[in-house]
Amino acid sequence: MSNKSDQPSVQRRQFIGGTIAAAGALTLAPGVILHAASDGDKATSGASSKHRWGMLIDANKCADGCSACVDACNSEHGLTDLGRPETDAVWIRPVKLRDKQTGHVDRLVMMCQHCEHPPCVDVCPTNASFKRIDGVVLVDRHRCIGCRYCMMACPYKARSFVHEALSEQSVAAPRGKGCVESCTLCVHRIDAGEMQTACQEACTKEGHGAIVFGDLKDPNSEISRMLKSHNSVQIRADLELNTGVRYLNL
Amino acid sequence: MSKMYYRELYCGSPVRFWMGLTLLGAIIAVGLGAAYYMEHQGHWVTGMSNQIVWGLPHVFAIFLIVAASGALNVASIGSVFGGPLYKPLGRYSALLAIGLLVGGLIVLVLDLGRPDRLIVAMTEYNFKSIFAWNVILYSGFVAIVAVYLWTMMDRSMEKFKRPLGFAAFFWRIALTTGTGSIFGFLVAREAYDAAIMAPMFVIMSFSYGLAFFIITLIAAYIWGDREIGVYRLTKLKNLLGVFVGAVLYFVLAYNLTNLYVAQHHGIERFILLDGGIYTMMFWVGQILIGSIIPLFLIYSPAFENSRWAIAVASIAVLIGGFFQIYLIVIGGQAYPMNLFPGKEIIETGFFDGQIINYVPTFPEAALGVAGMAVSLALVAIGARVFKVFPETLED
């Protein structure tokens, strides 16, 4: 047989095999390296099921006309007022109520209630809405397709849709046009070991002390002790969502 | 019985066909432009907000998707339930079903905040979400109905026709159950959170789908200068009457249940009495135009053999159906959630306790109408390329 056969030569086979192996290595290697790097990150700031973060809001202490917590939340997360209240993002909002029978007036703040059984997580088609093992309900902005089903499902109207392109964002809260977002319970602070949310910090600084943040699973935390000694309520308790945010004197 | 011949639908004059397609193409182009504008600017340029999160595009999309599964009924009656009069219409029924569904899906996808992430929706599933199931139900529907259409058109595939007909029938029931459950599974809002939503959507699909079928069938036969017998149309008309009556029954059951429950008196008052535009849509749009007028046209002896009455009744059902979906989608969001029972809200930073105003904008309407144009264009091209229409439908 002459070497005119169209059978590939050994060298050619080796060359093709070598090329495929090299291309494969080039494709996989960065992934492996990144994966290893992200594993390293997890070790320092991973969420733990030993905690469940929550908040207690005292309606008696929430002061009339005060917006310190709202302003602090906005500046912490880079939520800008574009003068369009219908579409501007709102993560925390004051609500003032009057009892229809007795005329008793209450004031409180509403935000994502960080439910144990969050309806937003149930309805999200792509798993973008999720609950961390420490109870914080978040949106993965890389997975959110902007269908807004979670906004339809949230019984607390806690979520906002980003209606426009954003600039000058806060490093604490990356956001994106076309995605849904809500209170993160200042998860960036929790992960950095700072046990105080922006709203609580502002409320305390104003001297009202209406917001207490802490670990619901730690029996010695301030929030746990207060919840044990006082009668607190959940908003829309009938839905049995076991919220992480509770209210006093409501 | 004489043999049935199917032929591609050629228009009386070629100019009419191409003019028609050009018009549809222009509507689609405007809709795509509108979608680009809304995506590029962000949704603040629309009438939608953080309170009304699903707007007019969703109304169009859900309307078309619901009608799509209903449009398949005629094929199902022919091959699953063995109705000889319906059999020759099976091919067109399947083509229309695919067309309507694709039109609706395009609107739904282009109204997403991130339509570019469609691949995420196709690869990442949360099986507790009815939306995720719908992704599978909708794409599966197109696939099954396409093969079903093939078995109806290709004699060598004849043996698969019945099993596929069954599969398509059950799939379409699942599909509309899934669409109704989008609302049925929402505990948060008073207008939703009701198991009746799923069967109500199924029966709504029967009604809208058949109305779409009748009106486009008549149009196609006028367009192609072909004959269609009054007897066959009368059969379809009578079926439409039953479906319209059934929708009315479900609407009655839904509202009566709400009226019984004190917690739901507010939403009922809003729909039936003092909801302004929404009350108007209910009584005039859904009940008068969508139910009473078509029932009169269908059952009045004066119009027994009038094909115009049949056409007008079908159009009225579609208009009423559109209002019904509008009321469910937009009305259900406009009425405030009751976060604090027994309390009135005197100050809020986020429109709590207020009835929300929603005014759709032109781009939203353009996108929705473009979805309809996509459906019609697909049907027009499909009917021209495939042999879906019998040469004649004379009695």
Side-chain angles (χ1 to χ4, degrees), chain B residues 59-132:
Chain B
V59 178
F60 272 98
I62 294 170
F63 180 62
L64 287 172
I65 289 166
V66 167
S69 61
L72 192 67
N73 273 351
V74 174
S76 300
I77 297 170
S79 48
V80 177
F81 302 108
L85 264 173
Y86 296 93
K87 222 165 187 170
L89 301 170
R91 298 180 181 187
Y92 176 57
S93 162
L95 175 68
L96 181 64
I98 294 176
L100 289 172
L101 193 87
V102 171
L105 281 184
I106 283 179
V107 179
L108 203 61
V109 168
L110 290 179
D111 187 54
L112 290 175
R114 296 295 305 256
D116 53 313
R117 288 185 182 165
L118 190 61
I119 190 74
V120 178
M122 300 235 180
T123 50
E124 184 72 40
Y125 291 101
N126 166 21
F127 286 109
K128 205 177 174 186
S129 165
I130 193 69
F131 248 32

Side-chain angles (χ1 to χ4, degrees), chain B residues 7 21 103 148 155 270 312:
Chain B
R7 201 155 51 88
L21 267 194
Y148 181 33
R155 289 214 183 276
F270 179 69
V312 173

Side-chain angles (χ1 to χ4, degrees), chain A residues 2-28:
Chain A
S2 72
N3 57 3
K4 279 180 184 165
S5 148
D6 61 355
Q7 183 81 20
S9 67
V10 176
Q11 285 90 336
R12 203 158 103 203
R13 272 191 193 162
Q14 278 172 345
F15 172 73
I16 293 169
T19 310
I20 291 170
L26 277 173
T27 315
L28 291 175

Side-chain angles (χ1 to χ4, degrees), chain A residues 64-65 84-90 93-101 104-108 110 119 121-127 141-149 151-157 159-165 177-179 235-236 238-239 250, chain B residues 39-46 48-51 53-55 58 111-115 117-118 120-121 124-126 128-132 135 181-183 185-189 192 263 329 333 337-340 342-353 356:
Chain A
D64 220 6
R84 299 192 289 256
E86 286 86 6
T87 53
D88 281 348
V90 172
R93 63 187 195 265
V95 182
K96 200 169 166 182
L97 312 162
R98 187 192 294 128
D99 193 297
K100 286 181 192 163
Q101 280 292 316
H104 179 77
V105 174
D106 284 309
R107 193 175 193 266
L108 51 94
M110 281 296 298
V121 173
D122 289 345
V123 302
C124 178
T126 61
N127 291 314
R141 303 332 161 61
H142 296 285
R143 263 188 201 168
C144 176
I145 57 170
C147 74
R148 285 103 78 200
Y149 196 18
M151 298 176 76
M152 293 290 280
C154 175
Y156 304 102
K157 230 169 55 156
R159 293 199 155 186
S160 286
F161 178 70
V162 180
H163 283 78
E164 57 279 300
K177 179 176 81 171
C179 294
I235 292 174
R236 303 197 77 170
D238 59 313
L239 298 176
L250 184 62
Chain B
E39 294 305 332
H40 188 71
Q41 297 289 326
H43 273 60
W44 77 275
V45 296
T46 70
M48 288 176 261
S49 62
N50 283 326
Q51 316 299 327
V53 300
W54 288 352
H58 273 79
D111 187 54
L112 290 175
R114 296 295 305 256
R117 288 185 182 165
L118 190 61
V120 178
E124 184 72 40
Y125 291 101
N126 166 21
K128 205 177 174 186
S129 165
I130 193 69
F131 248 32
V135 173
S181 299
I182 291 174
F183 300 97
F185 290 177
L186 284 180
V187 292
R189 294 170 195 263
Y192 311 142
Q263 195 188 355
V329 176
Q333 296 174 82
M337 279 192 255
N338 191 8
L339 265 62
F340 307 99
K343 313 257 185 188
E344 63 178 319
I345 289 160
I346 49 180
E347 184 192 310
T348 165
F350 204 46
F351 304 94
D352 292 277
I356 309 296

Side-chain angles (χ1 to χ4, degrees), chain A residues 52-186:
Chain A
R52 185 182 177 201
W53 304 110
M55 241 190 237
L56 182 62
I57 292 153
D58 190 336
N60 275 356
K61 292 183 181 169
C62 185
D64 220 6
C66 175
S67 64
C69 59
V70 179
D71 299 338
C73 178
N74 289 350
S75 82
E76 180 88 4
H77 303 105
L79 312 180
T80 39
D81 180 1
L82 298 162
R84 299 192 289 256
E86 286 86 6
T87 53
D88 281 348
V90 172
W91 288 16
I92 180 170
R93 63 187 195 265
V95 182
K96 200 169 166 182
L97 312 162
R98 187 192 294 128
D99 193 297
K100 286 181 192 163
Q101 280 292 316
T102 63
H104 179 77
V105 174
D106 284 309
R107 193 175 193 266
L108 51 94
V109 284
M110 281 296 298
M111 72 287 280
C112 171
Q113 303 284 298
H114 299 278
C115 311
E116 186 193 354
H117 308 290
C120 56
V121 173
D122 289 345
V123 302
C124 178
T126 61
N127 291 314
S129 269
F130 69 102
K131 190 184 67 165
R132 294 204 333 179
I133 47 175
D134 57 1
V136 181
V137 176
L138 295 172
V139 179
D140 182 336
R141 303 332 161 61
H142 296 285
R143 263 188 201 168
C144 176
I145 57 170
C147 74
R148 285 103 78 200
Y149 196 18
C150 56
M151 298 176 76
M152 293 290 280
C154 175
Y156 304 102
K157 230 169 55 156
R159 293 199 155 186
S160 286
F161 178 70
V162 180
H163 283 78
E164 57 279 300
L166 302 169
S167 57
E168 292 172 32
Q169 298 192 35
S170 158
V171 286
R175 306 167 61 214
K177 179 176 81 171
C179 294
V180 176
E181 55 185 26
S182 56
C183 159
T184 62
L185 219 53
C186 283

